[in-house]
Amino acid sequence: AEIVPIPEPPGLPIIGNVGDIDKEFPLGSFMSLAEKYGEVYRLHLPGRSVVFCSTHALIDELCDEKRFKKVPTGVLYEIRNGVHDGLFTAMLEEPNWGIAHRVLMPAFGPMSIRGMFDEMHDIASQLVMKWARHGSHQRVLVTDDFTRLTLDTLALCAMGFRFNSYYANEMHPFIDAMANFLTESGARISRPPLPSFFYRNQDARYWQDIEILRQTATTVLHEREANPSDRKDLLAAMLAGRDPKTGEKMTDASIVDNLITFLIAGHETTSGMLSFAIYQLLKHPDEYRKVQEEVDRVIGKGPVTVDHMSKLPYIEATLRETLRLCSPINVIQVRPIEDTLLAGKYPVNKGEAMSLLLSKAHQDPAAFGDDALDFKPERMLDEPFRKLPKNAWKPFGNGVRGCIGRPFAWQEALIIMALLFQNFNFVMDDPNYQLMYNQTLTIKPKGFYIRTLLRDGLT
Ligand code: HEM
């Protein structure tokens, strides 16, 4: 076979391609480089190289778990400072990954998630109340209120803990600590390699934040151990569960790692998905109308119930299409288990970081047709969705390392979408708003404000 070297944008000695990456919005740089260099390119960064792949065919190949595996790198590696071998940041070989994975799979299964409906509905109603009281004369920063929703929902359903973000004037210290911990984990990978005393203040703050996160979760755990309850949340599942393979229980440390992990992996992602969904619907009035019609037809003016969850196919298609065009996690990473040839021609080395550029692959006409760039929920209705090419739609990651929280996020999103469209009409605060991004561990819309108007006849 013909060997083709992977294109490498020219860089500088020592820092390599660091200068090609926009610090505020790296995804933008990765996308432009993909446009310039094509389906695959390699960047050199201090001490490592990363190969970026951006077509459906290459992503499909990288999803082969016999040849490639997830190894936490970059920000994910830094996040291990706080949550160690928790599910999201563990190496596959670490025994705690397997134990937690097997203990938690049933806890994220359909029956358990159904059991969380009332508590999810409780928090979602708080957001509806807030926007109703707000009235239409005040603009709403969409992503902030969705982040309160997703954090409060996770804390309640994971461990029976109420942050009460819609009532408190000050955010709970856990939430501040979480935000700083994630920001600083990101900053640590790109700061110049100066001696550590240059970063003494940041470091002290960083470890303090980790302490706050762990203290809070440990207190909740100890209170539960001291006062057993009949709650059926994720904490209860972790305390009661025994790994079917090894017979082992999760240690207290691993339970704390995973409680914090759910909040890390679950809040920005779900909040981003919901914010982008509202954005897309406001940009696409016909699709907006179809969502509202579905809610009116299926639910009407009565309460949203758990039985409605399987009866909202158009909203589900809208969320899938939103995740295709605006994947909150826009890059996932794997490494080759052995030296190998990509597409039968591009040599890559064992252990080299490979980035699956989902944002680009999700726009590949080879998988989605000539209208791949358009927002069309119809293509994501159950029937066509099932017929998409294998591994064409990967917003929840891949294989055994794919998202364990997907059913959780899905139910939470359906509840809030149903409640919002039942109760409100929405308009953009600035009709000329152009989508901009905030990038941390995930991407979210930046500076996206709306106005919320109560629908007629509803109180
Ligand atoms: C893993 C996306 C919601 C918990 C992942 C991965 C992706 C993802 C792409 C794989 C990451 C990688 O390969 O490095 C999403 C999206 C969500 C969402 C788009 C919402 C729309 C949630 C929620 C939870 C959660 C609500 C918790 C309740 C996790 C965990 C993992 C994970 C624990 C690691 C699984 C493992 O490796 O064993 N998620 N996620 N996620 N997600 Fe989610």
Side-chain angles (χ1 to χ4, degrees):
E2 186 203 359
I3 302 293
V4 179
I6 293 177
E8 300 186 357
L12 296 170
I14 305 180
I15 65 162
N17 297 110
V18 168
D20 292 325
I21 305 176
D22 180 345
K23 268 212 167 80
E24 295 288 308
F25 186 45
L27 175 64
S29 310
F30 301 152
M31 296 287 279
S32 332
L33 287 167
E35 252 138 60
K36 184 154 175 209
Y37 291 92
E39 57 177 349
V40 57
Y41 61 88
R42 179 185 280 112
L43 295 186
H44 290 281
L45 306 173
R48 64 197 178 105
S49 62
V50 186
V51 173
F52 286 81
C53 298
S54 48
T55 57
H56 165 243
L58 289 177
I59 301 294
D60 186 34
E61 196 174 335
L62 292 166
C63 285
D64 180 352
E65 295 172 277
K66 291 198 271 311
R67 293 173 60 204
F68 303 93
K69 68 173 177 181
K70 167 171 170 174
V71 179
T73 324
V75 192
L76 277 193
Y77 192 80
E78 291 297 322
I79 290 177
R80 286 175 63 92
N81 290 324
V83 295
H84 317 115
D85 52 2
L87 279 174
F88 195 48
T89 45
M91 319 277 172
L92 201 51
E93 307 72 32
E94 288 175 313
N96 278 335
W97 180 81
I99 296 171
H101 178 75
R102 288 181 295 267
V103 165
L104 279 159
M105 281 302 276
F108 281 101
M111 284 316 290
S112 315
I113 298 299
R114 229 182 127 87
M116 295 175 188
F117 181 88
D118 290 346
E119 292 194 333
M120 289 184 174
H121 189 282
D122 172 341
I123 307 286
S125 308
Q126 293 179 24
L127 173 55
V128 172
M129 290 304 289
K130 176 175 175 183
W131 285 4
R133 291 197 182 116
H134 228 103
S136 58
H137 43 275
Q138 241 177 314
R139 59 183 196 165
V140 169
L141 188 53
V142 180
T143 308
D144 269 14
D145 273 343
F146 281 145
T147 300
R148 292 188 173 93
L149 174 88
T150 53
L151 270 172
D152 278 28
T153 303
L154 271 163
L156 185 57
C157 297
M159 51 187 173
F161 193 78
R162 284 188 186 265
F163 285 140
N164 289 328
S165 305
Y166 292 115
Y167 301 108
N169 281 330
E170 306 252 317
M171 287 292 191
H172 190 282
F174 183 98
I175 296 177
D176 274 339
M178 167 74 70
N180 286 318
F181 167 62
L182 292 176
T183 310
E184 183 63 12
S185 293
R188 287 164 79 92
I189 55 173
S190 51
R191 64 194 192 187
L194 301 175
S196 62
F197 67 83
F198 278 95
Y199 302 111
R200 205 156 42 198
N201 292 339
Q202 286 106 307
D203 274 347
R205 172 82 197 269
Y206 185 66
W207 293 103
Q208 248 167 35
D209 287 332
I210 290 176
E211 194 53 30
I212 293 172
L213 297 176
R214 299 196 67 85
Q215 284 278 351
T216 311
T218 307
T219 307
V220 173
L221 168 66
H222 287 161
E223 276 174 13
R224 183 70 65 86
E225 283 169 332
N227 313 289
S229 85
D230 54 5
R231 285 183 55 80
K232 299 218 173 8
D233 51 20
L234 298 172
L235 173 56
M238 290 194 282
L239 281 168
R242 217 172 252 289
D243 174 14
K245 186 164 165 196
T246 61
E248 280 183 60
K249 302 196 76 161
M250 290 174 70
T251 60
D252 278 7
S254 175
I255 292 178
V256 167
D257 288 337
N258 280 295
L259 283 175
I260 303 170
T261 290
F262 299 146
L263 292 163
I264 294 175
H267 87 280
E268 282 194 17
T269 43
T270 314
S271 156
M273 169 174 73
L274 290 167
S275 308
F276 284 125
I278 298 290
Y279 167 81
Q280 290 291 3
L281 290 171
L282 284 174
K283 281 278 174 189
H284 297 93
D286 290 342
E287 286 71 18
Y288 178 112
R289 215 162 20 248
K290 287 181 205 169
V291 166
Q292 197 163 63
E293 273 165 18
E294 182 170 83
V295 172
D296 290 351
R297 179 165 40 77
V298 176
I299 303 172
K301 293 184 178 176
V304 175
T305 69
V306 70
D307 292 324
H308 290 131
M309 296 295 98
S310 56
K311 296 178 183 148
L312 301 165
Y314 196 81
I315 297 185
E316 291 202 64
T318 300
L319 294 172
R320 287 174 186 150
E321 181 71 340
T322 299
L323 288 175
R324 181 177 74 83
L325 287 173
C326 310
S327 236
I329 296 191
N330 46 82
V331 172
I332 55 178
Q333 285 200 323
V334 295
R335 293 176 186 244
I337 294 169
E338 298 296 340
D339 289 358
T340 187
L341 287 180
L342 266 187
K345 59 184 177 186
Y346 302 118
V348 288
N349 302 320
K350 171 180 175 175
E352 178 169 23
M354 318 273 309
S355 279
L356 290 69
L357 197 50
L358 300 179
S359 307
K360 194 80 184 145
H362 281 169
Q363 302 176 352
D364 189 343
F368 295 99
D370 291 339
D371 59 358
L373 288 176
D374 301 341
F375 179 77
K376 289 191 174 169
E378 275 74 12
R379 72 168 106 229
M380 292 292 183
L381 289 166
D382 283 349
E383 175 84 11
F385 181 66
R386 269 196 298 273
K387 291 185 184 148
L388 286 178
K390 184 161 72 64
N391 295 319
W393 184 82
K394 301 302 282 182
F396 288 105
N398 185 52
V400 292
R401 299 309 302 269
C403 182
I404 200 172
R406 179 169 165 182
F408 186 106
W410 215 243
Q411 178 170 287
E412 181 184 4
L414 289 176
I415 295 172
I416 193 65
M417 289 293 282
L419 281 173
L420 290 180
F421 280 84
Q422 184 185 43
N423 286 285
F424 298 100
N425 283 312
F426 303 106
V427 289
M428 293 229 186
D429 179 55
D430 170 6
N432 299 317
Y433 173 79
Q434 294 294 323
L435 188 54
M436 294 178 296
Y437 301 91
N438 249 329
Q439 182 164 10
T440 52
L441 190 57
T442 61
I443 53 164
K444 293 193 237 77
K446 182 178 188 170
F448 173 47
Y449 290 92
I450 59 168
R451 306 247 170 188
T452 63
L453 302 91
L454 274 175
R455 288 179 69 188
D456 284 347
L458 291 163
T459 46

